[in-house]
Structure formats: structure tokens, C-alpha cells
Amino acid sequence: MQKNSRLFYISLGLLGIGLMAAVFGTITMWLWNALLPPLFGLPALSWLQAAGLLALCRVLFGGITGGLGRIVGGGGRRDGANLFRGRWNALSDEQRRRLAEEIKKRRGFDPRGAFDCGGAWSDSRKRDGDCGKEDADSGKGE
């Protein structure tokens, strides 16, 4: 029974993708043919050309994963705020140590370098030099 339901959902998903492509391709064709030939003298598009144009624009400007906003913006948030930065900064030193040890044990990654003292996810107060002994020692050699 589970195999049949999985096949049903896969076919339903493919049908939904096809339906969305048909609807958005048709809308793109109508808008192109209504606006661009009269304004700029460009040729009219068929439905297949409009769907191809839509797919090309998605790849060039939207990306496969939804654009650079999710990659560069940090954690998929459009405003650039990272979901974990505030939670990490709200933890006490002991809670941070225990969480970092647990993450390192499970994933082999120590998050303290990323969140503390100038890492990519640290807050601006710490990046501006209020990091403690490490920053003070590194500034003496220059």
C-alpha cells in the first residue's frame, strides 16, 4: 500500500509541475505577445518559446535553489539575518560549550569559530574588536 501511495504522490507532483508550467507559460506568452511586439516590434512567441523563455529566466535570474538570497543572505532569510546568530548569542558560556561539544560529537564541526569573535555569524559588536584576548594578542604583532 505504501508503494502505491508513493507512486500516487510522485505522479501527482509531476502533474502539478506540468500544470504550473502550462499556466505560467501561457501567461508569459500572453504578456509577451500583448506588450512587446506593439511596443518594440519583437516577434510574437509560441507557447513552447514562452515556456523556454520562462525556464531560461528562472535559471539565469532565479537560480535552481531560489536565487542568491538563500545562499548569500544566510539561512534562507531574505533580510540577511541568520536564524541561529540570535539564539547562539542568547546562550550562556556554559550552554555554548555544551552545545558546541554536542555538535562536534555528532557532526565533526566546532561552531564556536563561526559564531564567536569575528566569524561569519558573529554579531557586529564582537567583530568590531570586543573579542577578548585573541584579538588583543593579534593586534600586538602589527
Side-chain angles (χ1 to χ4, degrees), residues 50-69:
L53 179 67
L54 192 62
L56 179 65
C57 288
R58 174 72 178 158
V59 169
L60 291 177
F61 303 116
I64 302 297
T65 60
L68 291 177

Side-chain angles (χ1 to χ4, degrees), residues 131-142:
C131 263
K133 190 173 182 185
E134 294 88 20
D135 286 346
D137 291 341
S138 66
K140 289 180 182 178
E142 293 178 16

